[in-house]
Amino acid sequence: MKAIIVMSASDNVGNAIEDIVKGDTVAYEVDGERRQFTALADIPFGFKAAVKDIALGGDIVKYKETVGRAAKPIRVGECVHIHNVEGKRGRGDLTEVQA
Amino acid sequence: MTFWGYVRPDGSVGIRNHTLIMANGRGAANLAALLTKLVAGAKCFVQPNENGRDAEDRKTIARTIVGLARNPNVGAVLIVGNKKNGGYPEFTYEAIVGEIEKSGKPLDTLFMADCGGFQQAVGLGMRKARTLARKASEVRREEVGLGRLSLAVKCGYSDATSGMSGNPVVGHLFDRVVEAGGTCLFSETTEVIGAEHIVAKRFTEEAERAKFLAAVERVEAEARATGEDIRTINPIPANIQAGLTTLEEKSLGAITKGGTKPIRGCLTYGEIPAGRGLYYMDSWMSSTALFLGFTAAGSVLNIFQVGGGWFTTDAMMPTANTGLVAPTLYMTGNPRTFEKAAEEMDFSSGTVITDREPIAAAGERLLGEVLGNASGRLTKGETMDVNDNLEVYLRGPGL
């Protein structure tokens, strides 16, 4: 059993506080309730795992706030990082319409 | 709750007692640097060149010089120059020496024009600086209340622990110091992008809130003007390789270092706050520039709260002594970073992760650490005689 920390119940990601390997059972607690899922990828210490399914373009929520949007559909247990998330702010590479 | 500090004539309290030698005008910087080598324990600030700089940047340089000299950790000051006046209006005798004089601390000046040139100035300057150093050494530490402390924080090499177990612990410390009547500064305008709505709510004055939001807007516009995704600039590669994904994520973890108290004002780089309490400083995040700006604003101890997940070995003091006269306290909320670099880190709150230590308990431990350093114990960085690169946050072009 491996552990992640989910900062708030409305978050859809949590941070690994140990090195998680694909196939590990991962547990976390929100609002006093213990939940678990199976890791679909390696999630090293400090990296994020999805604790809810996130649709393409959906908000990534951490600290009850939006920290980016899904660049691909993301399933519970996947690693959430630059390969499947993009930022919304400071996007000099996009025109305003795209942003 | 008390510490042992140096009470200055203006009532401010220092935790160190340095003699500072500085040039007024870049043309005398080499004289200042040379004199510093010749006087035991003296510190020197070599200013960036003010020539060909716009008024805004010249003001920033002048503010930095005056602020460093007025910092409570400075016991005595020698200002050297080519001549008393003659440069840009920001660097007149009145604007620099006149402002420093208001602190009431021992101060002397040395102008090459008045003593027959550079080599003669070296001899006279040595005499003056050595006299000042002895004068500064006469001051004794006194026991004063926590509310006399002025602190600042910057976070760096951020990773997931920064927002979980590092910055919130500093936030607790800040709340305690502010409650006691002290002054606390936090900053890093790029790294509030995505979290500015949370910080903005806490300003007590509408005009200060507007200044803050305008600063965030300006920096984001500068970021967009690069034509790049900000993510290729900030979060820096070390953040991304440690698991931080977007600037917004980094920002939301970063702002917790400012605690929860009302924010009294939005300062410009190196600006001395008008009163006590919690202040935001609009500045570039670089550790080579920001600690200097905090020190110019009166911080006597700068906290560098690092994540450090990116580092593989004990290479954990990426900048040393960039507060010049204000020590840097290195801490981490990452238990792995502390394990790798216990010799460099003054404090660890990685226990918030490993032992589920409450944030408040770790914050109280940090307060104890801070009071120890404030009372005279050296930080680990201070034990190294490293004079790191210092940069002043200048925004205009060189013309």
Side-chain angles (χ1 to χ4, degrees), chain B residues 82-109:
Chain B
N82 287 85
K83 48 186 170 181
K84 218 171 154 181
N85 283 302
Y88 290 109
E90 294 79 13
F91 299 91
T92 61
Y93 186 89
E94 270 316 298
I96 300 290
V97 178
E99 285 303 306
I100 299 168
E101 262 174 353
K102 289 179 183 167
S103 68
K105 67 179 71 176
L107 167 72
D108 207 343
T109 57

mmCIF file of all heavy atoms in Angstrom, chain B residues 82-109:
data_model
loop_
_atom_site.group_PDB
_atom_site.id
_atom_site.type_symbol
_atom_site.label_atom_id
_atom_site.label_comp_id
_atom_site.label_asym_id
_atom_site.label_seq_id
_atom_site.Cartn_x
_atom_site.Cartn_y
_atom_site.Cartn_z
ATOM 1 N N ASN B 82 33.489 59.605 -6.077
ATOM 2 C CA ASN B 82 34.466 60.429 -6.785
ATOM 3 C C ASN B 82 34.421 61.859 -6.272
ATOM 4 O O ASN B 82 35.421 62.460 -5.962
ATOM 5 C CB ASN B 82 34.207 60.415 -8.288
ATOM 6 C CG ASN B 82 34.611 59.099 -8.900
ATOM 7 O OD1 ASN B 82 33.831 58.158 -8.896
ATOM 8 N ND2 ASN B 82 35.846 59.010 -9.357
ATOM 9 N N LYS B 83 33.195 62.383 -6.229
ATOM 10 C CA LYS B 83 32.987 63.699 -5.652
ATOM 11 C C LYS B 83 31.602 63.747 -5.027
ATOM 12 O O LYS B 83 30.777 62.873 -5.277
ATOM 13 C CB LYS B 83 33.198 64.800 -6.687
ATOM 14 C CG LYS B 83 32.504 64.592 -8.014
ATOM 15 C CD LYS B 83 32.914 65.687 -8.976
ATOM 16 C CE LYS B 83 32.444 65.392 -10.389
ATOM 17 N NZ LYS B 83 32.863 66.429 -11.328
ATOM 18 N N LYS B 84 31.400 64.789 -4.239
ATOM 19 C CA LYS B 84 30.191 64.855 -3.434
ATOM 20 C C LYS B 84 28.913 64.834 -4.288
ATOM 21 O O LYS B 84 27.942 64.159 -3.977
ATOM 22 C CB LYS B 84 30.223 66.149 -2.601
ATOM 23 C CG LYS B 84 29.676 65.974 -1.212
ATOM 24 C CD LYS B 84 29.941 67.207 -0.365
ATOM 25 C CE LYS B 84 28.895 67.284 0.721
ATOM 26 N NZ LYS B 84 29.073 68.474 1.568
ATOM 27 N N ASN B 85 28.934 65.575 -5.369
ATOM 28 C CA ASN B 85 27.782 65.650 -6.263
ATOM 29 C C ASN B 85 28.274 65.634 -7.698
ATOM 30 O O ASN B 85 29.455 65.734 -7.957
ATOM 31 C CB ASN B 85 26.982 66.925 -6.001
ATOM 32 C CG ASN B 85 26.133 66.800 -4.735
ATOM 33 O OD1 ASN B 85 25.305 65.895 -4.622
ATOM 34 N ND2 ASN B 85 26.360 67.697 -3.788
ATOM 35 N N GLY B 86 27.357 65.526 -8.633
ATOM 36 C CA GLY B 86 27.756 65.626 -10.032
ATOM 37 C C GLY B 86 27.179 64.562 -10.929
ATOM 38 O O GLY B 86 27.240 64.674 -12.147
ATOM 39 N N GLY B 87 26.580 63.542 -10.359
ATOM 40 C CA GLY B 87 25.978 62.481 -11.175
ATOM 41 C C GLY B 87 24.495 62.724 -11.385
ATOM 42 O O GLY B 87 24.013 63.857 -11.314
ATOM 43 N N TYR B 88 23.779 61.666 -11.622
ATOM 44 C CA TYR B 88 22.324 61.758 -11.772
ATOM 45 C C TYR B 88 21.693 62.251 -10.456
ATOM 46 O O TYR B 88 22.259 62.033 -9.379
ATOM 47 C CB TYR B 88 21.750 60.377 -12.099
ATOM 48 C CG TYR B 88 22.079 59.850 -13.479
ATOM 49 C CD1 TYR B 88 22.971 58.795 -13.645
ATOM 50 C CD2 TYR B 88 21.469 60.386 -14.603
ATOM 51 C CE1 TYR B 88 23.258 58.282 -14.910
ATOM 52 C CE2 TYR B 88 21.751 59.885 -15.878
ATOM 53 C CZ TYR B 88 22.643 58.834 -16.022
ATOM 54 O OH TYR B 88 22.918 58.331 -17.259
ATOM 55 N N PRO B 89 20.512 62.870 -10.566
ATOM 56 C CA PRO B 89 19.889 63.440 -9.363
ATOM 57 C C PRO B 89 19.592 62.405 -8.272
ATOM 58 O O PRO B 89 19.526 62.756 -7.087
ATOM 59 C CB PRO B 89 18.589 64.073 -9.878
ATOM 60 C CG PRO B 89 18.397 63.567 -11.265
ATOM 61 C CD PRO B 89 19.741 63.196 -11.780
ATOM 62 N N GLU B 90 19.452 61.155 -8.641
ATOM 63 C CA GLU B 90 19.166 60.112 -7.636
ATOM 64 C C GLU B 90 20.380 59.834 -6.744
ATOM 65 O O GLU B 90 20.256 59.164 -5.716
ATOM 66 C CB GLU B 90 18.756 58.798 -8.316
ATOM 67 C CG GLU B 90 17.443 58.849 -9.085
ATOM 68 C CD GLU B 90 17.579 59.513 -10.448
ATOM 69 O OE1 GLU B 90 18.722 59.711 -10.918
ATOM 70 O OE2 GLU B 90 16.529 59.852 -11.033
ATOM 71 N N PHE B 91 21.565 60.330 -7.168
ATOM 72 C CA PHE B 91 22.791 59.978 -6.452
ATOM 73 C C PHE B 91 23.496 61.196 -5.842
ATOM 74 O O PHE B 91 24.695 61.176 -5.613
ATOM 75 C CB PHE B 91 23.743 59.217 -7.398
ATOM 76 C CG PHE B 91 23.136 57.931 -7.911
ATOM 77 C CD1 PHE B 91 22.407 57.919 -9.100
ATOM 78 C CD2 PHE B 91 23.255 56.759 -7.183
ATOM 79 C CE1 PHE B 91 21.821 56.752 -9.553
ATOM 80 C CE2 PHE B 91 22.671 55.584 -7.634
ATOM 81 C CZ PHE B 91 21.946 55.576 -8.825
ATOM 82 N N THR B 92 22.715 62.246 -5.578
ATOM 83 C CA THR B 92 23.324 63.404 -4.921
ATOM 84 C C THR B 92 23.692 63.036 -3.481
ATOM 85 O O THR B 92 23.228 62.033 -2.934
ATOM 86 C CB THR B 92 22.341 64.592 -4.866
ATOM 87 O OG1 THR B 92 21.201 64.175 -4.112
ATOM 88 C CG2 THR B 92 21.918 65.042 -6.250
ATOM 89 N N TYR B 93 24.493 63.897 -2.874
ATOM 90 C CA TYR B 93 24.884 63.705 -1.465
ATOM 91 C C TYR B 93 23.631 63.617 -0.595
ATOM 92 O O TYR B 93 23.505 62.737 0.257
ATOM 93 C CB TYR B 93 25.768 64.877 -1.038
ATOM 94 C CG TYR B 93 26.348 64.724 0.346
ATOM 95 C CD1 TYR B 93 27.568 64.067 0.538
ATOM 96 C CD2 TYR B 93 25.686 65.235 1.458
ATOM 97 C CE1 TYR B 93 28.102 63.917 1.808
ATOM 98 C CE2 TYR B 93 26.207 65.088 2.733
ATOM 99 C CZ TYR B 93 27.420 64.439 2.912
ATOM 100 O OH TYR B 93 27.941 64.290 4.151
ATOM 101 N N GLU B 94 22.691 64.530 -0.842
ATOM 102 C CA GLU B 94 21.454 64.563 -0.050
ATOM 103 C C GLU B 94 20.656 63.268 -0.206
ATOM 104 O O GLU B 94 20.134 62.712 0.757
ATOM 105 C CB GLU B 94 20.580 65.748 -0.492
ATOM 106 C CG GLU B 94 20.849 67.032 0.257
ATOM 107 C CD GLU B 94 20.992 66.820 1.759
ATOM 108 O OE1 GLU B 94 20.050 66.367 2.424
ATOM 109 O OE2 GLU B 94 22.107 67.114 2.247
ATOM 110 N N ALA B 95 20.561 62.821 -1.472
ATOM 111 C CA ALA B 95 19.707 61.656 -1.769
ATOM 112 C C ALA B 95 20.266 60.372 -1.170
ATOM 113 O O ALA B 95 19.504 59.484 -0.778
ATOM 114 C CB ALA B 95 19.543 61.500 -3.285
ATOM 115 N N ILE B 96 21.565 60.261 -1.098
ATOM 116 C CA ILE B 96 22.164 59.021 -0.575
ATOM 117 C C ILE B 96 22.591 59.212 0.889
ATOM 118 O O ILE B 96 21.999 58.632 1.800
ATOM 119 C CB ILE B 96 23.374 58.587 -1.444
ATOM 120 C CG1 ILE B 96 22.927 58.344 -2.899
ATOM 121 C CG2 ILE B 96 24.055 57.358 -0.838
ATOM 122 C CD1 ILE B 96 22.070 57.131 -3.132
ATOM 123 N N VAL B 97 23.598 60.044 1.111
ATOM 124 C CA VAL B 97 24.128 60.200 2.471
ATOM 125 C C VAL B 97 23.062 60.807 3.391
ATOM 126 O O VAL B 97 22.877 60.367 4.527
ATOM 127 C CB VAL B 97 25.422 61.047 2.464
ATOM 128 C CG1 VAL B 97 25.941 61.247 3.886
ATOM 129 C CG2 VAL B 97 26.496 60.366 1.605
ATOM 130 N N GLY B 98 22.338 61.795 2.859
ATOM 131 C CA GLY B 98 21.291 62.453 3.649
ATOM 132 C C GLY B 98 20.239 61.460 4.131
ATOM 133 O O GLY B 98 19.783 61.523 5.268
ATOM 134 N N GLU B 99 19.876 60.531 3.279
ATOM 135 C CA GLU B 99 18.864 59.526 3.645
ATOM 136 C C GLU B 99 19.420 58.518 4.651
ATOM 137 O O GLU B 99 18.719 58.098 5.576
ATOM 138 C CB GLU B 99 18.347 58.794 2.399
ATOM 139 C CG GLU B 99 17.389 59.605 1.546
ATOM 140 C CD GLU B 99 16.160 60.092 2.318
ATOM 141 O OE1 GLU B 99 15.478 59.240 2.920
ATOM 142 O OE2 GLU B 99 15.902 61.311 2.346
ATOM 143 N N ILE B 100 20.681 58.126 4.450
ATOM 144 C CA ILE B 100 21.279 57.144 5.376
ATOM 145 C C ILE B 100 21.446 57.770 6.766
ATOM 146 O O ILE B 100 21.227 57.110 7.788
ATOM 147 C CB ILE B 100 22.635 56.626 4.834
ATOM 148 C CG1 ILE B 100 22.438 55.931 3.488
ATOM 149 C CG2 ILE B 100 23.287 55.662 5.832
ATOM 150 C CD1 ILE B 100 23.733 55.634 2.743
ATOM 151 N N GLU B 101 21.811 59.055 6.764
ATOM 152 C CA GLU B 101 22.027 59.781 8.032
ATOM 153 C C GLU B 101 20.816 59.723 8.960
ATOM 154 O O GLU B 101 20.957 59.749 10.182
ATOM 155 C CB GLU B 101 22.350 61.250 7.743
ATOM 156 C CG GLU B 101 23.826 61.553 7.773
ATOM 157 C CD GLU B 101 24.129 62.989 7.325
ATOM 158 O OE1 GLU B 101 23.202 63.692 6.862
ATOM 159 O OE2 GLU B 101 25.303 63.372 7.432
ATOM 160 N N LYS B 102 19.626 59.656 8.340
ATOM 161 C CA LYS B 102 18.390 59.647 9.143
ATOM 162 C C LYS B 102 18.341 58.476 10.111
ATOM 163 O O LYS B 102 17.615 58.504 11.096
ATOM 164 C CB LYS B 102 17.156 59.612 8.229
ATOM 165 C CG LYS B 102 16.925 60.912 7.484
ATOM 166 C CD LYS B 102 15.703 60.804 6.582
ATOM 167 C CE LYS B 102 15.529 62.093 5.772
ATOM 168 N NZ LYS B 102 14.565 61.912 4.679
ATOM 169 N N SER B 103 19.104 57.409 9.805
ATOM 170 C CA SER B 103 19.103 56.246 10.693
ATOM 171 C C SER B 103 19.875 56.530 11.976
ATOM 172 O O SER B 103 19.735 55.802 12.959
ATOM 173 C CB SER B 103 19.725 55.041 9.982
ATOM 174 O OG SER B 103 21.116 55.284 9.783
ATOM 175 N N GLY B 104 20.702 57.556 11.962
ATOM 176 C CA GLY B 104 21.463 57.924 13.160
ATOM 177 C C GLY B 104 22.657 57.029 13.459
ATOM 178 O O GLY B 104 23.339 57.202 14.463
ATOM 179 N N LYS B 105 22.927 56.060 12.585
ATOM 180 C CA LYS B 105 24.034 55.139 12.881
ATOM 181 C C LYS B 105 25.365 55.773 12.469
ATOM 182 O O LYS B 105 25.390 56.702 11.657
ATOM 183 C CB LYS B 105 23.820 53.796 12.186
ATOM 184 C CG LYS B 105 23.894 53.818 10.669
ATOM 185 C CD LYS B 105 23.692 52.421 10.077
ATOM 186 C CE LYS B 105 22.271 51.913 10.209
ATOM 187 N NZ LYS B 105 22.007 50.634 9.580
ATOM 188 N N PRO B 106 26.491 55.305 13.034
ATOM 189 C CA PRO B 106 27.799 55.853 12.667
ATOM 190 C C PRO B 106 28.003 55.798 11.150
ATOM 191 O O PRO B 106 27.780 54.752 10.528
ATOM 192 C CB PRO B 106 28.785 54.929 13.391
ATOM 193 C CG PRO B 106 28.003 54.356 14.529
ATOM 194 C CD PRO B 106 26.587 54.253 14.049
ATOM 195 N N LEU B 107 28.406 56.942 10.595
ATOM 196 C CA LEU B 107 28.501 57.072 9.139
ATOM 197 C C LEU B 107 29.651 58.007 8.817
ATOM 198 O O LEU B 107 29.870 58.996 9.512
ATOM 199 C CB LEU B 107 27.174 57.668 8.635
ATOM 200 C CG LEU B 107 27.105 58.203 7.198
ATOM 201 C CD1 LEU B 107 27.123 57.047 6.209
ATOM 202 C CD2 LEU B 107 25.842 59.021 6.990
ATOM 203 N N ASP B 108 30.400 57.691 7.775
ATOM 204 C CA ASP B 108 31.430 58.608 7.301
ATOM 205 C C ASP B 108 31.433 58.565 5.776
ATOM 206 O O ASP B 108 30.880 57.643 5.169
ATOM 207 C CB ASP B 108 32.803 58.209 7.872
ATOM 208 C CG ASP B 108 33.739 59.411 7.993
ATOM 209 O OD1 ASP B 108 33.454 60.464 7.357
ATOM 210 O OD2 ASP B 108 34.751 59.307 8.696
ATOM 211 N N THR B 109 32.050 59.586 5.185
ATOM 212 C CA THR B 109 32.118 59.651 3.727
ATOM 213 C C THR B 109 33.555 59.902 3.287
ATOM 214 O O THR B 109 34.384 60.397 4.064
ATOM 215 C CB THR B 109 31.241 60.794 3.166
ATOM 216 O OG1 THR B 109 31.674 62.027 3.756
ATOM 217 C CG2 THR B 109 29.780 60.562 3.475
#
